[in-house]
Each structure stands twice: as structure tokens, then as C-alpha cells.
């Protein structure tokens, strides 16, 4: 399998860390959707990161769909989802919040970096900032329950998604984290110190 995309993308990073924790061998090609657009489009003409090329040559995109496929390949004991129904629902909620935090952060970064200053729309940026703050407020409340991880003694997808989202926002938009998130910060630091996260560092 080949994973394509840069590790400054929280979506690429969550797939890389997850494949590692699922014990699935893969090659990582660090192509950018911007600076290496042509090379990227030769593999996936839609130019979305992450892209995963399976061993039979199928080209997948969307981190959630890639991870659904990866879970099917992995040994059942390594699954990154809790099995009990209520815990599964809570995990899906946390992943949804983390992905919303990623999406709102990326939208703010694109608005600021890709649009000329005179064309930036402040009401849109304000709306994104409010949505981002709401996602982190709710994630922080969830992270307060971590012991040491969100679902017990090993990191699952909810931990991975929360940690990569928080790191991305910290790196790209530190001023957007208006309210302190001590529990999320501790969870992120714990995640970043693991072997799987250190194998695929931000940036
Ligand atoms: N929902 C997607 C989001 C992926 C995404 O937005 N990736 C960005 C890089 S961080 C990208 O491909 N940007 C280029 C573009 O959208 O044209 C996922 O979960 O994979």
C-alpha cells in the first residue's frame, strides 16, 4: 500500500499513525497537493490528501473511508474502535468533533493563505472561528475523561483524531485556541510521545 500526502495534513497524519497501530505495512510518499500538484494528480487526478493506493492498485481518498478499508485488513484485536455500542457512539462523536476541528482549521488556513487579502471575507472567518472554538470546547470536555486514553489503556481512533487535530491547530493557528484546553493538551502530548506518532511527526 502507498499512502500519499504530507504530514502537515491532519488527515494524512491520522491515516499514517493508524496504519502503523494497525500493524499494516505501507510506503509513505510525501507529495504536496500544492507544490507537487502534477505528480499528485498523476496518481489521483482529484488531488486530495490523503490518497491511499491499495496493493491491487485501487486509489482511495477520504481519511475515514481509507481507515474503514484499513480496519478490514488488520487483525481484529488491533481495531481502533471500541466494540461496545455506547462506547462506539461516543468514539464516533469525538472523531466527528476532531474532524470538524480539522476542517474549520484548514478552511481558515486556506482563506488566509490562498485568497488575496482584499478578497478575504471576515464574516466567514468569524463563523469558522466560532465553529472551531465550539469543537474544541466539546473535545476538551471529552478529554477530561481520558484515563489515560479516551477509552482506557491504549489509544484508539478517537485519541488519534483528537491529537492530530489539536497539533495541527496549535501549529497553524495558535491564536485560534482562545480558550485553554489543558486536558486536550495533555492527551495530545501523551499521543505525540508514542512510537506511532513519533514515526510520523507533524510537518
Ligand atoms: N474529508 C477529507 C479532507 C481531506 C482534505 O481536506 N485534505 C486537504 C489537505 S489537508 C486537501 O486535500 N486539500 C486539497 C484540496 O482540497 O484541493 C478527509 O478526511 O480525507
Amino acid at each position: 500500500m502507498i499512502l500519499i500526502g504530507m504530514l502537515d495534513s491532519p488527515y494524512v497524519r491520522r491515516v499514517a499513525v493508524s496504519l502503523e497501530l494497525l500493524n499494516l505495512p505501507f510506503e509513505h510518499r510525501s507529495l504536496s497537493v500544492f507544490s507537487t500538484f502534477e505528480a499528485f494528480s498523476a496518481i489521483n487526478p482529484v488531488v486530495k490528501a490523503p490518497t491511499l493506493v491499495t496493493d491491487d492498485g485501487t486509489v482511495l481518498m477520504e481519511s475515514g473511508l481509507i481507515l474503514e478499508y484499513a480496519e478490514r485488513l488488520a487483525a481484529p484485536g488491533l481495531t481502533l474502535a471500541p466494540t461496545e455500542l455506547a462506547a462506539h457512539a461516543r468514539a464516533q462523536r469525538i472523531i466527528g468533533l476532531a474532524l470538524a476541528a480539522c476542517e474549520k482549521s484548514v478552511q481558515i488556513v486556506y482563506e488566509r493563505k490562498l485568497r488575496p487579502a482584499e478578497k478575504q471575507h471576515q464574516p466567514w472567518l468569524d463563523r469558522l472561528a466560532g465553529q472551531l472554538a465550539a469543537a474544541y470546547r466539546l473535545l476538551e470536555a471529552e478529554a477530561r475523561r481520558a484515563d489515560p486514553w479516551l477509552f482506557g489503556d491504549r489509544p484508539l481512533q478517537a485519541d488519534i483524531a483528537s491529537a492530530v487535530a489539536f497539533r495541527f491547530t496549535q501549529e497553524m493557528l495558535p491564536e485560534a485556541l482562545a480558550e485553554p484546553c489543558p486536558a486536550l493538551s495533555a492527551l495530545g502530548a501523551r499521543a505525540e510521545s508514542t512510537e506511532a506518532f513519533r514515526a510520523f511527526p507533524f510537518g
Side-chain angles (χ1 to χ4, degrees), residues 9 11 33 47-50 62-63 110:
S9 158
Y11 306 104
V33 289
V47 193
K48 285 296 292 181
E62 282 293 325
S63 60
Y110 285 180

Side-chain angles (χ1 to χ4, degrees), residues 11-25:
Y11 306 104
V12 174
R13 199 163 178 233
R14 94 177 177 113
V15 171
V17 170
S18 301
L19 293 178
E20 184 77 5
L21 289 175
L22 289 170
N23 205 19
L24 297 172

Side-chain angles (χ1 to χ4, degrees), residues 5-6 8-12 14-15 32-34 37 40 46-51 61-66 99 102-103 106-107 110 114 168:
M6 310 250 299
D8 61 0
S9 158
Y11 306 104
V12 174
R14 94 177 177 113
V15 171
S32 163
V33 289
F34 293 108
F37 186 93
F40 208 119
V46 184
V47 193
K48 285 296 292 181
T51 288
M61 64 195 119
E62 282 293 325
S63 60
L65 300 178
I66 292 171
L99 290 177
C102 291
E103 182 186 286
V106 168
Q107 285 175 329
Y110 285 180
L114 300 180
F168 179 76

Side-chain angles (χ1 to χ4, degrees), residues 111-131:
E111 180 75 11
R112 285 188 186 164
K113 288 199 171 170
L114 300 180
R115 230 180 249 283
E118 71 281 6
K119 291 198 173 147
Q120 286 179 21
H121 190 50
Q122 196 55 46
W124 171 239
L125 280 166
D126 292 344
R127 179 192 156 98
L128 294 173
Q131 290 172 295

